[in-house]
């Protein structure tokens, strides 16, 4: 067995963590040979609930779970961690705008960035799930200058999984047979789910999804809006936000970042280098491949006029969010 790695989950007494912790501790993220020592961070009033989660983790009798540390102290939580799932954030209630969330969350992610900078491993891989995820990741990175910028990512894998699932259902194939669906931009309702490069295996042969579906109005219309608004649809139905699917997507994102993607494309919110004419220095979702723990943006894709408008709109929102967040930081 390998030495255990330390993994922190914030918002550890919450809904998403309740699904996520089992996935991490069971080996679904870091592999079946890699023991994990879980650090569980939440706010002081949640420590009683968290104690119940700790009991349940013990009761799972998981062979890969080397230990559990519940805490309300960020410096204790982030000490020597190799991976961080930043799930805890001010939650969005029905009818609430993301902008209302920004101010509250900037303060949380500033504090966590400072703690990571001080006590985490310098090669820590940080995944921000708590919304607004892209801007939270940017702020977190800004306050952790000793950790490379490329080690801070935001989750758009849930959007990718949603998009892939929609296309598979539309075509009538298993979800594993749909590939190269891309999420561009912000994890918000301006995101651009892009099927123009997607392929599917139909009758043993790989074909372009655009050709199979052959309905441009759907791919630019209902497909895009369904994925953009799926989170709100789940809230309306469940009266709570996506938790099971969000935890699964966080697992997928971190597993692919640690263990690699081979030839698969995955969507990750990463600090933009200006690729595809996107604004620099915002956390923007791109298609990436991962080798040896390093992500690389997929190059050379053709951007149609429609896609250009969509990329620019979500980029504009990210630039505005970044500015609002930086203004809050000054307060």
């Amino acid at each position: 067995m390998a030495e255990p790695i330390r993994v922190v989950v914030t918002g550890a007494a919450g809904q998403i963590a309740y699904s996520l912790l089992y996935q991490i501790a069971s080996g679904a993220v870091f592999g079946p040979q890699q023991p994990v020592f879980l650090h569980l961070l939440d706010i002081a009033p949640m420590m009683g609930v968290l104690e119940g989660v700790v009991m349940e983790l013990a009761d799972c009798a998981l062979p890969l779970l080397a230990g559990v540390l519940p805490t309300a102290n960020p410096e204790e939580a982030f000490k020597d961690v190799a991976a961080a799932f930043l799930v805890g954030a001010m939650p969005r209630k029905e009818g609430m705008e993301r902008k209302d969330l920004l101010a509250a969350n900037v303060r949380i992610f500033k504090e966590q960035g400072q703690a990571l900078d001080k006590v985490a491993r310098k090669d820590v891989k940080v995944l921000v799930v708590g919304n607004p995820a892209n801007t939270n990741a940017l702020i977190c990175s800004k306050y952790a200058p000793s950790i490379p910028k490329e080690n801070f990512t935001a989750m758009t894998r849930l959007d990718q999984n949603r998009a892939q699932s929609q296309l598979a259902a539309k075509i009538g194939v298993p979800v594993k047979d749909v590939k190269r669906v891309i999420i561009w931009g912000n994890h918000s309702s301006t995101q651009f789910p892009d099927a123009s490069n997607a392929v599917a295996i139909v009758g043993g042969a790989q074909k372009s999804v655009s050709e199979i579906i052959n309905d441009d109005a759907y791919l630019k219309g209902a497909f895009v809006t369904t994925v953009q608004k799926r989170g709100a649809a789940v809230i309306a139905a469940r009266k709570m936000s996506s938790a099971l699917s969000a935890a699964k997507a966080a697992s997928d994102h971190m597993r692919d970042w640690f263990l690699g993607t081979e030839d698969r494309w995955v969507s990750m919110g990463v600090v933009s280098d200006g690729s595809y004419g996107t604004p620099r220095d915002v956390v923007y979702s791109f298609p990436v491949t991962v080798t040896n723990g390093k992500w690389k943006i997929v190059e050379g894709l053709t951007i149609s006029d429609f896609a250009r408008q969509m990329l620019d709109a979500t980029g504009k929102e990210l630039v505005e969010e970044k500015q609002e967040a930086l203004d809050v930081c000054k307060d």
Side-chain angles (χ1 to χ4, degrees):
M1 275 289 195
E3 278 293 296
I5 54 170
R6 291 181 179 268
V7 178
V8 65
V9 176
T10 72
Q15 281 274 328
I16 293 174
Y18 195 67
S19 285
L20 178 59
L21 291 169
Y22 175 77
Q23 295 185 41
I24 297 169
S26 69
V29 180
F30 301 103
Q33 301 299 316
Q34 178 60 66
V36 292
F37 195 116
L38 284 173
H39 290 202
L40 309 182
L41 178 67
D42 215 313
I43 55 175
M46 296 304 288
M47 287 300 108
V49 175
L50 192 57
E51 200 45 55
V53 175
V54 173
M55 284 185 221
E56 285 205 76
L57 282 168
D59 297 348
C60 288
L62 291 158
L64 292 173
L65 186 55
V68 181
L69 169 73
T71 180
N73 176 349
E75 285 193 15
E76 209 175 89
F78 291 117
K79 181 128 183 69
D80 299 330
V81 295
F85 292 85
L86 305 188
V87 180
M90 185 70 83
R92 178 165 122 195
K93 301 284 195 301
E94 202 167 353
M96 187 176 180
E97 275 302 307
R98 284 168 57 89
K99 289 190 168 68
D100 309 337
L101 285 182
L102 203 68
N105 282 309
V106 163
R107 293 190 178 88
I108 296 171
F109 285 87
K110 175 179 175 179
E111 179 190 40
Q112 293 185 356
Q114 288 165 334
L116 280 160
D117 196 56
K118 194 169 169 186
V119 299
R121 281 171 44 160
K122 296 303 171 199
D123 63 350
V124 61
K125 289 179 163 61
V126 181
L127 167 59
V128 177
V129 177
N131 283 321
N134 298 56
T135 299
N136 287 344
L138 187 75
I139 294 301
C140 201
S141 168
K142 173 180 159 67
Y143 286 100
S146 69
I147 297 168
K149 278 210 278 269
E150 56 268 25
N151 288 31
F152 289 85
T153 62
M155 186 170 86
T156 53
R157 184 59 170 270
L158 177 53
D159 307 301
Q160 179 192 310
N161 288 348
R162 286 165 169 165
Q164 198 177 330
S165 165
Q166 290 293 322
L167 293 174
K170 180 83 172 169
I171 297 165
V173 295
V175 77
K176 68 175 171 52
D177 290 346
V178 177
K179 296 188 170 72
R180 303 198 165 174
V181 186
I182 300 169
I183 304 296
W184 299 94
N186 198 2
H187 173 65
S188 75
S189 58
T190 66
Q191 63 171 275
F192 175 38
D194 176 13
S196 65
N197 297 280
V199 293
I201 296 165
V202 179
Q206 185 169 290
K207 298 176 186 162
S208 130
V209 162
S210 307
E211 284 172 26
I212 301 164
I213 291 179
N214 193 23
D215 183 349
D216 213 35
Y218 167 76
L219 290 173
K220 290 180 178 175
F223 165 67
V224 171
T225 53
T226 299
V227 177
Q228 286 175 335
K229 294 177 177 167
R230 187 70 161 186
V234 171
I235 291 175
R238 217 173 82 89
K239 306 298 176 239
M240 287 190 283
S241 55
S242 314
L244 187 69
S245 54
K248 162 65 166 55
S251 293
D252 288 346
H253 176 121
M254 194 67 88
R255 183 193 62 236
D256 286 341
W257 196 3
F258 263 78
L259 304 181
T261 58
E262 291 163 349
D263 64 342
R264 287 179 301 120
W265 299 358
V266 296
S267 301
M268 286 170 63
V270 299
V271 176
S272 171
D273 60 358
S275 289
Y276 295 106
T278 58
R280 284 175 181 271
D281 298 321
V282 295
V283 171
Y284 196 102
S285 180
F286 291 98
V288 304
T289 54
V290 182
T291 312
N292 299 327
K294 301 266 187 254
W295 55 263
K296 184 174 178 294
I297 295 171
V298 174
E299 292 172 0
L301 301 179
T302 305
I303 304 296
S304 68
D305 292 348
F306 173 71
R308 180 77 267 152
Q309 288 175 330
M310 300 295 281
L311 265 70
D312 290 349
T314 193
K316 179 171 177 281
E317 181 181 62
L318 281 166
V319 170
E320 287 165 5
E321 260 186 36
K322 174 185 176 177
Q323 196 47 57
E324 282 177 43
L326 293 175
D327 291 346
V328 174
C329 292
K330 293 189 196 105
D331 295 350

